[in-house]
Amino acid sequence: MKFLIRIAYFSLVTLVFSLQSEAATQNYRLILTENPSTSALIGWELIGGCPDSQRVYYDTVDHQQDTAAYAFRATITASNFHRGMENYFCHLRGLASGTKYYLIIGEDEGLSPRLIVQTFSQNKPNWSACWTSLELPQKLHDWQSITQQIYHHSPDFMLTDGLSNLSTESAWRKWLKFWQPITYENTLVPIVIAGTVSADIQYLFNLSSSKLRHYPIASKTSLVISAKNAKVKKRFWKSLADASQVLWYNPSSVEKLPTQVDLALTTFPHQETQLPNVFNFPNQQNIVLVSQQLEKLQIELPDETVLLEMF
């Protein structure tokens, strides 16, 4: 019964969310970049009003639609016109770690729904995330059910791969329509984009073309994302010396993993013999729940739960 009530609430929130966003903005996304403990990158599409009048109002106290009551405000930090969309971004920095921020995007023709951004905690040892397969972005009709799963699990972030396969305005609009990353009370779920950063991804998520990105996702735990065949220099691994645990998603090679890498997670098998610190995600699974509990990584699949020791 509790689950049905939450789903009913999710449907109502989604309806209100959609109706409100028709005023001037839509397609809100929270993109993980830099340090998620102290910063947040918000993106959205403007569909009315004056771009120069846009402001992001935010606070640690919920003021709903009362813009004058919010303690902080920020202006646009990046913008572009791509795939028929006016995309705007605001990079919030200097945030407190492990803190819930309430925010709205306002301009001369209306206000966005009140949204919530939760920064990561620097002292938090555990985390959970929903990871999607390479094939999922191409199955747009599956995204609505996926968002319900994400809502149910309330993960710290969402890792999605294969977005470089979307190459038309229609496909991107459908993906953004189905992918409304919200949970209870309009909390935005941070998106970690894996794989190749295409031109579309650069514009729609305000990401650089860097082939290597790293995120401190928990206390002394780093997630490394690399594009295919990305060459990682030794000085990068030295910079992670303070991290007690390093996860590398889809490394170019698993035969010569740096000593700093505790576990490599791949979406394709490298060889018949499974290496002890490499785990292959089954491609046939649309989504898996990955969580860290101290020294162990738990991966929940439909038919089994895999518990991996961190090396």
Side-chain angles (χ1 to χ4, degrees), residues 32 128-132 136 143 146 150 155-160 179 181 189-193 286-287:
L32 228 61
S128 66
C130 291
W131 292 18
T132 68
L136 187 58
W143 272 102
I146 294 301
I150 295 169
D156 293 307
F157 63 91
M158 173 78 179
L159 186 149
T160 183
W179 172 240
V189 177
I191 304 173
V192 172
I193 297 177
N286 283 343
I287 186 169

Side-chain angles (χ1 to χ4, degrees), residues 64-287:
Q64 293 293 325
Q65 303 297 102
D66 185 3
T67 58
Y70 282 82
F72 312 103
R73 63 190 61 192
T75 55
I76 297 167
T77 54
S79 64
N80 63 68
F81 184 83
H82 187 70
R83 294 296 183 192
M85 292 176 272
E86 288 188 53
N87 304 289
Y88 292 90
F89 303 90
C90 181
H91 205 153
L92 304 178
R93 293 184 172 92
L95 304 179
S97 65
T99 302
K100 181 185 292 185
Y101 284 90
Y102 304 87
L103 64 87
I104 56 174
I105 302 166
E107 47 75 64
D108 59 356
E109 288 196 3
L111 301 173
S112 73
R114 194 272 289 125
L115 307 170
I116 295 177
V117 170
Q118 175 75 47
T119 57
F120 288 19
S121 175
Q122 292 179 333
N123 300 319
K124 183 180 178 181
N126 304 325
W127 54 270
S128 66
C130 291
W131 292 18
T132 68
S133 72
L134 285 165
E135 302 298 325
L136 187 58
Q138 302 176 60
K139 302 176 181 178
L140 297 175
H141 60 280
D142 290 339
W143 272 102
Q144 198 162 22
S145 62
I146 294 301
T147 56
Q148 291 183 0
Q149 292 184 50
I150 295 169
Y151 166 77
H152 176 65
H153 290 297
S154 297
D156 293 307
F157 63 91
M158 173 78 179
L159 186 149
T160 183
D161 204 340
L163 289 184
S164 57
N165 295 324
L166 302 181
S167 58
T168 65
E169 177 182 343
S170 174
W172 274 109
R173 284 195 172 278
K174 287 179 181 179
W175 190 87
L176 290 169
K177 176 183 178 181
F178 287 126
W179 172 240
Q180 289 289 352
I182 59 173
T183 59
Y184 183 67
E185 295 184 330
N186 279 1
T187 300
L188 291 172
V189 177
I191 304 173
V192 172
I193 297 177
T196 301
V197 178
S198 63
D200 285 345
I201 293 173
Q202 290 183 52
Y203 287 116
L204 296 175
F205 296 91
N206 194 37
L207 290 178
S208 69
S209 58
S210 172
K211 292 185 177 181
L212 182 71
R213 299 180 299 281
H214 127 258
Y215 307 96
I217 56 177
S219 176
K220 293 188 176 181
T221 300
S222 290
L223 171 65
V224 177
I225 304 290
S226 61
K228 186 177 180 181
N229 298 325
K231 295 181 179 180
V232 186
K233 296 182 179 180
K234 291 182 179 180
R235 67 170 176 261
F236 170 77
W237 297 117
K238 290 181 179 179
S239 69
L240 301 181
D242 292 335
S244 60
Q245 298 169 341
V246 175
L247 307 178
W248 193 359
Y249 177 84
N250 264 354
S252 55
S253 173
V254 298
E255 296 179 357
K256 296 181 180 180
L257 291 176
T259 56
Q260 291 89 342
V261 176
D262 298 280
L263 189 64
L265 305 169
T266 72
T267 56
F268 52 90
H270 289 266
Q271 57 186 43
E272 294 182 2
T273 303
Q274 183 67 52
L275 299 176
N277 57 340
V278 177
F279 178 79
N280 295 322
F281 279 109
N283 283 329
Q284 67 271 22
Q285 301 301 335
N286 283 343
I287 186 169

